[in-house]
Amino acid sequence: EAGVTQFPSHSVIEKGQTVTLRCDPISGHDNLYWYRRVMGKEIKFLLHFVKESKQDESGMPNNRFLAERTGGTYSTLKVQPAELEDSGVYFCASSPVGYNSPLHFGNGTRLTVT
Amino acid sequence: AQSVSQHNHHVILSEAASLELGCNYSYGGTVNLFWYVQYPGQHLQLLLKYFSGDPLVKGIKGFEAEFIKSKFSFNLRKPSVQWSDTAEYFCAVCRTSGTYKYIFGTGTRLKVLA
C-alpha cells in the first residue's frame, strides 16, 4: 500500500507569509493526525481528524493555524501569518478507525520561518 | 495532563553492547503503548506495541519492551545493538477511551559505534 505522503518536504518562508502543508493519508484510514516537532523537543500533538471531523484540536497553538480535511481524504494545515516560533518539522500520521492500530507517519515537512 | 518522559536524550554505545531506554508515562487509565523509531532520512515507523496481555512484547529487529503497570513504565531493550540501530527512538502512549490522542516523548538519539 502507498504510505502517508506529505508535501512539501521543505518550506522556507519569511515571517508574516502564509504556508499550506498537505497530507495524503493511507487510503481508507479514517484517523488523521498532525504533529509538530521543534528541534530537540517532543513530537507534539496538534490535532486529530476522524474522517472530515475534528475530533481533538487541543494542541493547535493559536488561531494562526487552520487545518482542514475536506471529504475525509487529504488534509491541509495552513499557517497564516507565520511566526518564527512556527519553525519545526510537521508530521502527519494516519491509522484505521479506532485506537488499536498504530500510526503510519509521513516523512514530515520541515518548515523554516525566517 | 498526559505526558511521556524519556530519560535518556543521547546514548552512545559500541556494537554488541546492551541497550535499555527508559520511558515513563503519566496517566491513570488504560493505555496502549508504543515505541517508534526514525532512522536517518526515513519516516517514523513502529518498532513494537503493547495493548494487553503479556507485558513483555517483542518487536522488529530484536527489540523488546516491558510494561510495568505499577511503575507506569515501558522500557525498550535490545541485548546486542548493531551499527544499523543508529536512530532516534520515541515512546508513545494512547488512551483507550475518549479522544485517541497519541502522546510522544522527547525521543532518544542512539548512536552505535562500529
Side-chain angles (χ1 to χ4, degrees):
Chain A
E1 62 181 4
V4 177
T5 306
Q6 290 187 247
F7 182 83
S9 56
H10 293 84
S11 180
V12 181
I13 61 172
E14 293 183 352
K15 176 181 169 180
Q17 289 186 319
T18 297
V19 63
T20 300
L21 313 181
R22 174 171 169 142
C23 169
D24 286 76
I26 292 173
S27 178
H29 280 193
D30 287 346
N31 289 311
L32 188 149
Y33 298 81
W34 283 98
Y35 285 87
R36 177 174 72 180
R37 189 177 192 212
V38 173
M39 190 181 301
K41 304 225 168 162
E42 79 273 23
I43 298 174
K44 188 172 181 296
F45 170 84
L46 295 179
L47 88 159
H48 170 207
F49 283 100
V50 176
K51 296 185 181 178
E52 66 276 6
S53 299
K54 291 176 185 173
Q55 183 78 6
D56 184 342
E57 52 183 331
S58 60
M60 295 287 264
N62 49 60
N63 58 11
R64 295 185 294 102
F65 288 74
L66 175 64
E68 294 179 323
R69 191 182 182 194
T70 307
T73 54
Y74 71 91
S75 175
T76 58
L77 179 65
K78 181 191 284 188
V79 185
Q80 178 183 32
E83 297 288 344
L84 298 179
E85 64 264 25
D86 301 333
S87 296
V89 179
Y90 289 76
F91 292 104
C92 176
S94 72
S95 69
V97 64
Y99 57 81
N100 271 349
S101 298
L103 300 181
H104 298 257
F105 280 86
N107 284 335
T109 293
R110 183 175 296 278
L111 175 65
T112 303
V113 182
T114 62
Chain B
Q2 244 178 309
S3 67
V4 175
S5 297
Q6 291 184 240
H7 317 298
N8 318 96
H9 297 296
H10 290 89
V11 174
I12 300 175
L13 296 173
S14 297
E15 274 195 314
S18 65
L19 169 73
E20 179 157 4
L21 302 182
C23 172
N24 286 87
Y25 65 94
S26 65
Y27 180 66
T30 305
V31 294
N32 291 335
L33 297 153
F34 307 84
W35 276 96
Y36 283 83
V37 60
Q38 187 172 28
Y39 298 103
Q42 296 186 28
H43 61 272
L44 278 150
Q45 53 191 282
L46 182 70
L47 200 55
L48 49 77
K49 61 185 186 288
Y50 172 79
F51 290 161
S52 63
D54 188 344
L56 184 63
V57 293
K58 295 190 184 300
I60 60 172
K61 304 186 180 186
F63 285 90
E64 63 179 32
E66 184 176 13
F67 171 49
I68 302 179
K69 189 174 181 180
S70 60
K71 294 185 178 180
F72 297 89
S73 71
F74 189 57
N75 292 354
L76 180 71
R77 299 194 292 249
K78 185 170 185 179
S80 175
V81 295
Q82 300 173 307
W83 177 81
S84 57
D85 294 324
T86 294
E88 193 158 19
Y89 294 80
F90 295 89
C91 181
V93 167
C94 179
R95 297 192 309 193
T96 60
S97 61
T99 62
Y100 305 138
K101 181 165 69 177
Y102 291 72
I103 304 297
F104 285 81
T106 53
T108 297
R109 198 176 289 273
L110 171 66
K111 183 169 185 176
V112 180
L113 305 174

